[in-house]
Amino acid sequence: MPHPLVGKPAPSISLPDANGETFTLTPGANGVPVALFFYPKSGSWGCTKEACQFRDNIAEKDVYKSSGLSVIGISPDSVEKQKVFVEKQKLTYPVLSDTSGEARKAYHVGKGLLGLADSARVTFFIDSKGVVRDSLDSTLNYGSHSKFVTKWLDKINTEEKRAAEPAPASETSADAPTTDAPTTDTVPAAEERE
């Protein structure tokens, strides 16, 4: 069953970042796609691997660079813990603190690991118009989230290339003469040939 936000405008959120400053996400406002990923706990093994995969993809993958993708991570950790996490892992994108759970509620993200973790691991791909195109909910498979975003970026690139291609020439109507067939003006009448 698809996530309830798929195909709908993504909610706007405002949360403190790792420096304690308010970061506001208004999907579609900048005209770039967004990879918004919720994760259980900053500094844990799987969450660190996931965050670093996004960091590395931003630096290394052309499709991330050319799309202008905005990557944003969110967990229930405090601003102080986010700051340590961002600095230690040299993360190059905003990591937000959702201690109150308001962003998780807005995006319908529940608890993870059968309720043992405060947040599930869910990634949303939001297109440049601010519409949630898809989501991936996989708490244990941390490695699948950056791959999920890469596949969506490839799909968006393909869609944009197709949209930019010239439309095929329209077929001639059945009533209009074609240049292949002679018209009655160019074919002499039988009496004129005698």
Side-chain angles (χ1 to χ4, degrees), residues 150-162:
T150 301
K151 286 180 183 176
W152 265 102
L153 288 172
D154 289 340
K155 181 175 181 166
I156 294 293
N157 277 347
T158 301
E159 288 175 3
E160 288 174 354
K161 284 178 186 174
R162 284 189 186 143

Side-chain angles (χ1 to χ4, degrees), residues 98-180:
D98 187 25
T99 55
S100 69
E102 68 181 79
R104 291 188 308 278
K105 183 176 180 183
Y107 278 84
H108 304 270
V109 174
K111 292 185 175 235
L113 297 173
L114 302 172
L116 299 175
D118 287 338
S119 176
R121 186 180 319 279
V122 181
T123 298
F124 294 89
F125 185 84
I126 304 166
D127 68 18
S128 60
K129 294 176 183 158
V131 175
V132 176
R133 295 288 293 267
D134 203 357
S135 68
L136 175 66
D137 185 344
S138 178
T139 300
L140 295 176
N141 190 354
Y142 62 86
S144 63
H145 292 262
S146 64
K147 292 175 187 170
F148 165 78
V149 171
T150 301
K151 286 180 183 176
W152 265 102
L153 288 172
D154 289 340
K155 181 175 181 166
I156 294 293
N157 277 347
T158 301
E159 288 175 3
E160 288 174 354
K161 284 178 186 174
R162 284 189 186 143
E165 290 176 1
S170 62
E171 307 245 349
T172 57
S173 75
D175 298 335
T178 62
T179 54
D180 298 4

Side-chain angles (χ1 to χ4, degrees), residues 17-19 78-88:
D17 66 12
N19 294 315
S78 68
V79 168
E80 296 77 19
K81 190 161 183 185
Q82 301 297 45
K83 185 170 184 65
V84 170
F85 184 56
V86 166
E87 289 175 355
K88 183 176 181 180

